[in-house]
Amino acid sequence: MSSVDITVVADAEEAARVVAERLVEQAGAGGSIVLTGGSTPRRAYQIAAELEPDWSGVELWWGDERCVPPDDPQSNYGMAKKALLDRLEAQPAAVHRMQGELGRDEAVAEYKHELAEAGTFDLVLLGLGPDGHIASLFPNFPTLDVTGRDVLGSQAGHEPFVERISLTLPRLCNTEELLFLVAGADKADAVARALDGRPSHATPGSLARSAEGTTRAVVDRAAASKL
Ligand code: 6PG
């Protein structure tokens, strides 16, 4: 398993800024970015929109989604729309959102179709749950062993307890760069296990490494305290 290049910064705000700068660099270069959900990336998306209002060269994808409508407060797309897309002057070349409102199986089928032509991603952004989950791939779930497919449906293994759609582990790892953004003391155990421990199904983050490219992590001091 390749090692992770870890950058430790003072706090969540600085972590968001470092990640925003990387997002903006990719937005300028074009290619593809896979966004993550949860609450940690919100600030990074806001800063990224301030730094660069023209995202017309890049395509956006999502690593996972909750099975709710896009305007639901639990929607990962909805969060990114408010924090990033609604603040841009020029929209991305394509916004490939997972259609959670269709229900799990139909949304998976639609995204599978949408991903059919997509090659290696340029940048996959991932958060990390306090239990070590990434995207909607939860500890010790059989979904961690799914190969030969790009996208799957899952029960929730963590709040919010709504059904999920997720890229599979091999599809998330099919990227030039995989970038973790993690902040907060409640993530310290998970960070140590995911970024510096042995690969284990108990900690899905420990299984997420770019297959052929680089894996980086931007972690605030509180989350890095057990490294
Ligand atoms: C989701 C996510 C998930 C998230 C982590 C961290 O849809 O829930 O994509 O994997 O990244 O749960 O979330 P927080 O940033 O909210 O802690």
Side-chain angles (χ1 to χ4, degrees):
M1 221 62 229
S2 60
S3 63
V4 184
D5 176 0
I6 303 172
T7 303
V8 179
V9 299
D11 54 25
E13 179 68 13
E14 200 180 329
R17 178 157 296 276
V18 172
V19 167
E21 285 168 358
R22 178 64 189 96
L23 291 171
V24 161
E25 182 190 28
Q26 194 63 53
S32 54
I33 299 175
V34 179
L35 297 179
T36 186
S39 55
T40 312
R42 180 181 289 114
R43 186 67 188 129
Y45 297 163
Q46 291 170 346
I47 298 171
E50 278 164 26
L51 293 174
E52 178 53 82
D54 180 353
W55 283 49
S56 56
V58 75
E59 296 199 15
L60 294 186
W61 298 87
W62 270 260
D64 77 315
E65 184 55 279
R66 293 90 179 259
C67 290
V68 296
D71 57 356
D72 187 288
Q74 293 180 338
S75 165
N76 286 339
Y77 163 79
M79 187 278 278
K81 179 173 185 298
K82 283 201 193 104
L84 176 67
L85 299 176
D86 287 352
R87 297 163 189 240
L88 299 179
E89 284 165 17
Q91 289 297 301
V95 175
H96 302 279
R97 79 171 178 90
M98 291 172 165
Q99 300 176 73
E101 71 278 16
L102 298 179
R104 202 173 72 175
D105 295 347
E106 206 179 327
V108 166
E110 286 291 328
Y111 218 58
K112 178 185 168 199
H113 183 67
E114 199 145 345
L115 278 161
E117 301 294 309
T120 298
F121 296 127
D122 288 293
L123 178 63
V124 170
L125 182 63
L126 285 179
L128 185 70
D131 59 350
H133 81 263
I134 47 155
S136 283
L137 300 173
F138 299 99
N140 300 316
F141 272 37
T143 49
L144 289 169
D145 293 315
V146 173
T147 57
R149 289 173 57 187
D150 290 335
V151 56
L152 53 78
S154 178
Q155 297 296 325
H158 196 269
E159 59 176 358
F161 289 98
V162 291
E163 289 192 316
R164 311 294 189 99
I165 307 143
S166 183
L167 296 189
T168 59
L169 199 49
R171 193 66 187 89
L172 286 166
C173 296
N174 184 3
T175 178
E176 296 294 337
E177 180 177 336
L178 193 149
L179 177 60
F180 286 93
L181 167 62
V182 198
D186 62 322
K187 304 280 179 76
D189 275 326
V191 163
R193 288 185 279 119
L195 305 185
D196 202 23
R198 281 200 310 266
S200 162
H201 282 54
T203 309
S206 70
L207 306 174
R209 301 290 185 266
S210 167
E212 310 239 333
T214 56
T215 304
R216 292 179 55 216
V218 179
V219 182
D220 80 346
R221 205 171 284 146
S225 64
K226 296 192 176 169
L227 279 174

